[in-house]
Amino acid sequence: MLSSAILFDLDGTLTDPKLGITGCIQYALSELGYKPPDADQLHWCIGPPLKDSFSQLLKTLDDTVIEQAISLYRRRFATIGLFENFLYPQIPEILKAIRFAGYKTFVATSKPYIYARQIIEYFGLSLLFDDVYGSELNGTRSIKGDLIHHILLTEKLLASTVVMVGDRSHDIIGAKHNYIASIGVTYGYGTEEELKAHGADFIAHSPSDIPRLIIRNL
């Protein structure tokens, strides 16, 4: 399976972005005149597209209001929040093991790719990925299923040889829409129940479980 590829979600899978994401959401809400929730009440916002999170937080479907919130979020994220982020333990080691076993590796995140690339570079992971894929700033490909489809076409990957690794339901849903296997990770921001309910093929409780699951089963 020399053409096999592993797609990695970023937030909650490779890095823990809680401090930056929650801080930027709180900033945006404050600037709009709302009293923001505590950071621990915003865990559910880590992973899904920002548009969906702000729609729920602001209780609105008004695109103008939502885009204003996203703009404020990005004002802080682009300079501060981007780097309020931590690499999960063993990530470089597991990526090296997976690549040594002959797999290609790609980042597949709903985050805009201009930020995703900066984060990957910041943590010194650029050489451990064949490429980094994310959404456009206008929201194009922020839905994980659309993003995965784009990666499969661009990289000419066969669905039966690709695995999506992520911590939230939309990672698993996106994988299912594209008929690829999925590994749900429980050390991020999704629960095992959430991941299994949406059909994760395998569950990893720590980063070190990921290469074992891939090499043993896929």
Side-chain angles (χ1 to χ4, degrees), residues 169 172-173 176 191-201 203:
S169 60
I172 309 305
I173 293 167
K176 292 293 180 190
T191 63
E192 183 171 357
E193 291 71 26
E194 173 187 336
L195 296 162
K196 284 184 173 178
H198 289 91
D201 295 295
I203 297 292

Side-chain angles (χ1 to χ4, degrees), residues 36-78:
D38 292 337
D40 288 342
Q41 294 177 295
L42 293 171
H43 284 186
W44 61 272
C45 298
I46 300 173
L50 267 181
K51 185 174 183 178
D52 296 347
S53 297
F54 276 122
S55 178
Q56 292 184 57
L57 286 165
L58 297 169
K59 298 182 172 57
T60 183
L61 296 174
D62 186 330
D63 281 339
T64 302
V65 175
I66 293 169
E67 287 303 321
Q68 187 180 3
I70 291 174
S71 178
L72 288 164
Y73 173 98
R74 287 178 177 161
R75 178 192 295 174
R76 186 182 185 279
F77 188 82

Side-chain angles (χ1 to χ4, degrees), residues 37-214:
D38 292 337
D40 288 342
Q41 294 177 295
L42 293 171
H43 284 186
W44 61 272
C45 298
I46 300 173
L50 267 181
K51 185 174 183 178
D52 296 347
S53 297
F54 276 122
S55 178
Q56 292 184 57
L57 286 165
L58 297 169
K59 298 182 172 57
T60 183
L61 296 174
D62 186 330
D63 281 339
T64 302
V65 175
I66 293 169
E67 287 303 321
Q68 187 180 3
I70 291 174
S71 178
L72 288 164
Y73 173 98
R74 287 178 177 161
R75 178 192 295 174
R76 186 182 185 279
F77 188 82
T79 55
I80 301 170
L82 191 69
F83 305 113
E84 293 176 323
N85 203 346
F86 305 93
L87 200 62
Y88 284 116
Q90 303 175 306
I91 291 300
E93 290 78 11
I94 70 149
L95 290 170
K96 288 174 186 174
I98 290 166
R99 290 175 68 83
F100 183 77
Y103 296 87
K104 291 183 176 180
T105 51
F106 299 93
V107 173
T109 175
S110 294
K111 186 186 296 300
Y113 71 87
I114 63 165
Y115 298 142
R117 286 181 185 279
Q118 286 180 265
I119 292 167
I120 292 300
E121 288 171 8
Y122 176 71
F123 285 115
L125 299 178
S126 298
L127 294 178
L128 298 178
F129 288 100
D130 291 272
D131 211 341
V132 176
Y133 286 90
S135 64
E136 302 290 341
L137 286 170
N138 66 5
T140 301
R141 291 191 290 277
S142 62
I143 296 172
K144 193 58 67 84
D146 296 343
L147 179 67
I148 292 172
H149 180 68
H150 173 68
I151 296 171
L152 295 179
L153 288 179
T154 304
E155 299 292 338
K156 299 180 174 58
L157 299 172
L158 190 64
S160 61
T161 69
V162 180
V163 184
M164 178 72 217
V165 181
D167 70 314
R168 298 303 306 271
S169 60
H170 61 280
D171 296 308
I172 309 305
I173 293 167
K176 292 293 180 190
H177 282 176
N178 288 280
Y179 305 102
I180 69 173
S182 60
I183 295 175
V185 306
T186 61
Y187 58 82
Y189 287 90
T191 63
E192 183 171 357
E193 291 71 26
E194 173 187 336
L195 296 162
K196 284 184 173 178
H198 289 91
D201 295 295
F202 305 97
I203 297 292
H205 297 293
S206 72
S208 61
D209 288 340
I210 298 170
R212 287 201 293 269
L213 286 168
I214 290 168

